Amino acid sequence: MAEIEATDIRFAYYRDRARHAQARQALLDALPADWRPFVARRFADADPVKLRRFDNYATLRALGQIFPAAGAGIEQQQLGWQVTGHSESSDLDLALGAYFSPALAGVERRHCCDSAQWRLDRLDVLDFLVQSGVANIVYKARRMAVAQALPRETLDYVNALDAVFGTHPAIMRVRAIAENDLAKRAAGYVRQSMLNKAERSAELARHWEDNTAHTPSDRPSHVTRWHYVADPHGRRKPDPLGLDIARAALANARFDNGPLVAAFHLTKDFAEREQLLQAMAGRFVGDSTVVLLKADLLLAQGNRRAAMEILAAELQSKPEPDDLYVRLGDLLIGERRYREAADVFASLPGLTDGSANSLAIGNYAYRAGSRFYLCGETDLAIPFFRIAAVQSNGSQAEMISRARLALLDEAYLPALAALFESVQRYSQPRDIAEYLSLLHLTGQSAAADNGFHSLATRIGAPEVWRAALVSSQRRGFDERRLIEWSEQFGRSQGPQVHRLAAEFLAMAVVTDRTPSAEAGPAIDRLLHMSNTHRSDLRVFVEGLAALKGKDFAAARKALSQTGETRAGEGASPARTVLAYYAIAAMKSGQHAAVEQVVAAIPAEEHDLDYWLAKSVIAALSGKADAGKADAVANFRQAVNHLNEKHLRLLGAEYQLADVAQMLHDLTGDNEFRKLALEVARFNQKIHPWEAWSFAWEAALTEDRARRVTALDKAVYLDRQSQMLLRLPPQEVEAAARRSGKTPPFRLDKKPGRAV
């Protein structure tokens, strides 16, 4: 009722009277019809009753028509919301961020300080419309917080807007109001904690309104410090400042094993770790954490056999904890004892005796199946995915298991349906990327692009941009077009996506491509780097360009500067480019330098990049058969350490195949060609939308029939593939004609063998 009466109740206030309304209406009648709603809306800010409802659809529609250079308009974004099944109330407001750049107006010079020379221009129009949209957002937030007194709903709304409007002073003031309102409803230390948050929000609003320099953490608190910090690739690194906190928390811990795990990993000395575990005798009874940490300690000491033995012994005495099965299974996979690992995973009693609930069983089976799925042992993954899929409990594990079973059967439409369910319910970036990428494969590129435009800003995760890579390759973008698209998209979406757009461009210009000298500066322009500094992305791209051009000394120099610079140690290569750095160093005569870098990696951090670099060193060591045997063994260890949770600029499977192909080119050894083919073929099963894996097979296989099939798919997905230059041009042209007439991916297949 209050909302219905909002229009009339304003006349009860002295600040607005009927004659004022008449004057406003007269002014509006004198304006062009298209602009009346916008001017009328701005009058509402003087209304003391904040109960009107406004949305930004009309504003965004006008912005899209007048400034099309900003990219996808609101109509296209609405189509994207339909494609992805996402349409939050904040999406409409977030879309306003695409119009924040004054460059959209195309006004290069303006007269200053002389009213006689002033003329209305496109920048004035842009500013008026954007500010109108921002006013709508502020009005809505204040209405929820003040007039309706809905603090929780207000915080949900402003949190959703944080990526674009998080530092807007008016939004921060609304946040402070809502937090203060919630604090009044709490008691004790919770009340005080919430009051502190409200005070902090109010203080930041004041800082930002006054243009005072600020950082996201003006008042760091030791109470909330994490034991770990995440690096850009998703790994969790120990935070040295967290050790004392972890030990203090451990002294009082009874059930929470988090402080124990943190204290263990933050303690570097092996003897101190052993003392820590011995002190846990009688504590955390029934918890498998202590045994798992003992296994970690043995592994760090190089005693793999003993670690496996204590895990097996613990399984005999305590067969319930599923993390013991996962750890022992992972160790067996690390030794390429895949069948034994599958038997260990399958021996969990809950899989057969009904002692565990459906959700726990589905999640465990999905984890087990994913271990084999990622390292190419898909036949061993299928039974576990079937177990997860039949739970029918609506979990993400169930949906993704169904999707993966369908992919293994090349039943792309059922896979698409399962991925859509997961995206709609859980919104995980990896699943969104796979869903949009599969849309491209099935010929629905327009829908996929709409979906990407609607989600790229709101999700803000680099994984989603892998779908943009599939799109750009499918549309035949060359490097110049990639740069133009990245700059336009980065500019239209605002500063929150500049880094993501730069990472996309770096990924796109090196994936089955050799970047030109223009790529690096374009990346730095996206990042707004000064001319005196080069970004880590630019250095990486230029290093890889030198490597592909066989300028090994220049490649080594560039790639050595991609990591963190530590005091007294100088620059170092980033972990994810370690294998490329190893090739450059070995071929430029710096054997000792790269061996020293690799040897310094602790045993507990021996991941894909470590083993791949070891493979490179062995392959290029000049030790003939012994070196080749070590190189192959280390390469397979790298495959066993594929991990979908680690964020990487380049796809891990692509990087494995790329390094194997480089080693084949450099050594002429056919074994590395086989390894590259092996990785490409299993990637075709799990990521059939990635063109490079078909291009690799087309160029490397000796089977004529397989080459024709792979070539058709490679050309369909990426006509600009550099790998296809290794093939006779007439074969590539013939494949382009075939795939243009009949798409090479069948869409009528139904799940069969796998499901």
Side-chain angles (χ1 to χ4, degrees), residues 441-521:
L441 180 144
T442 57
Q444 303 176 69
S445 290
D449 288 337
N450 288 336
F452 175 79
H453 279 274
S454 73
L455 291 172
T457 300
R458 182 159 64 83
I459 299 298
E463 298 99 312
V464 176
W465 289 69
R466 296 196 181 279
L469 176 63
V470 177
S471 174
S472 65
Q473 292 178 341
R474 181 81 178 83
R475 293 157 73 183
F477 283 6
D478 58 14
E479 185 181 280
R480 180 187 59 80
R481 185 69 184 92
L482 281 170
I483 292 172
E484 290 175 354
W485 183 89
S486 301
E487 289 180 338
Q488 180 191 44
F489 195 88
R491 182 174 61 248
S492 69
Q493 296 300 316
Q496 70 277 6
V497 299
H498 286 168
R499 175 73 188 186
L500 294 174
E503 288 179 350
F504 161 77
L505 181 56
M507 171 177 61
V509 298
V510 300
T511 300
D512 199 6
R513 307 284 194 276
T514 297
S516 74
E518 299 300 319

Side-chain angles (χ1 to χ4, degrees), residues 254 277-286 290:
R254 292 295 178 266
L277 295 178
Q278 289 173 355
M280 294 301 106
R283 297 181 61 183
F284 303 104
V285 176
V290 174

Side-chain angles (χ1 to χ4, degrees), residues 19-33 35-40 42-43:
R19 67 174 181 274
H20 298 157
Q22 294 169 359
R24 287 197 301 270
Q25 189 59 48
L27 174 61
L28 292 174
D29 290 342
L31 294 174
W35 289 95
R36 288 173 193 166
F38 296 108
V39 178
R42 300 306 290 271
F43 283 137

Side-chain angles (χ1 to χ4, degrees), residues 78-247:
Q78 284 188 312
L79 291 173
W81 298 335
Q82 295 173 14
V83 168
T84 59
H86 284 277
S87 182
E88 304 292 339
S89 61
S90 58
D91 284 347
L92 202 64
D93 298 327
L94 284 171
L96 195 66
Y99 300 93
F100 281 2
S101 173
L104 291 171
V107 177
E108 296 182 1
R109 298 181 60 189
R110 306 188 78 182
H111 292 292
C112 174
C113 313
D114 184 355
S115 60
Q117 297 187 50
W118 180 84
R119 296 291 184 275
L120 181 72
D121 60 26
R122 284 171 56 84
L123 189 57
D124 294 306
V125 175
L126 177 65
D127 182 65
F128 175 79
L129 289 173
V130 168
Q131 292 304 323
S132 296
V134 173
N136 283 342
I137 294 168
V138 173
Y139 187 98
K140 178 179 179 180
R142 287 188 58 82
R143 172 171 58 81
M144 295 170 69
V146 179
Q148 295 178 305
L150 299 172
R152 293 189 185 279
E153 290 80 356
T154 303
L155 288 175
D156 287 342
Y157 176 62
V158 298
N159 285 339
L161 298 176
D162 193 64
V164 177
F165 299 99
T167 58
H168 193 289
I171 295 297
M172 285 304 304
R173 284 197 299 272
V174 170
R175 180 187 291 278
I177 292 169
E179 289 171 342
N180 190 62
D181 196 6
L182 277 181
K184 292 176 181 178
R185 306 178 188 188
Y189 74 91
V190 175
R191 176 188 177 91
Q192 188 57 50
S193 175
M194 296 177 73
L195 284 171
N196 290 343
K197 287 183 65 178
E199 181 184 349
R200 173 178 168 77
S201 295
E203 182 180 345
L204 288 177
R206 179 178 60 81
H207 277 313
W208 295 341
E209 192 163 44
D210 295 340
N211 291 321
T212 306
H214 63 276
T215 64
S217 299
D218 286 340
R219 293 179 179 174
S221 169
H222 71 278
V223 176
T224 58
R225 180 178 293 280
W226 292 97
H227 301 312
Y228 294 93
V229 292
D231 73 6
H233 305 293
R235 298 183 178 89
R236 281 156 50 90
K237 301 190 301 183
D239 181 356
L241 297 178
L243 179 56
D244 291 339
I245 303 168
R247 286 174 174 167

Side-chain angles (χ1 to χ4, degrees), residues 632-664:
V632 172
N634 291 333
F635 186 91
R636 295 196 180 282
Q637 276 285 51
V639 172
N640 290 335
H641 283 78
L642 281 165
N643 188 331
E644 61 188 341
K645 293 182 180 180
H646 285 175
L647 300 181
R648 309 175 66 89
L649 183 63
L650 301 182
E653 293 84 4
Y654 170 78
Q655 200 165 344
L656 285 164
D658 194 32
V659 169
Q661 177 56 36
M662 286 185 181
L663 293 178
H664 174 246

Side-chain angles (χ1 to χ4, degrees), residues 371-432:
R371 295 309 202 267
F372 299 107
Y373 184 80
L374 290 173
C375 65
E377 298 296 321
T378 52
D379 287 342
L380 294 175
I382 289 172
F384 294 103
F385 285 151
R386 284 175 176 164
I387 292 172
V390 299
Q391 300 305 311
S392 299
N393 51 22
S395 68
Q396 186 186 20
E398 177 238 316
M399 296 173 183
I400 299 304
S401 293
R402 284 195 284 112
R404 289 180 171 180
L405 287 169
L407 283 176
L408 292 175
D409 273 338
E410 299 181 12
Y412 299 125
L413 294 183
L416 199 61
L419 284 169
F420 177 74
E421 286 184 64
S422 179
V423 167
Q424 195 172 32
R425 182 169 299 185
Y426 297 102
S427 298
Q428 291 299 305
R430 181 205 65 208
D431 300 341
I432 292 171

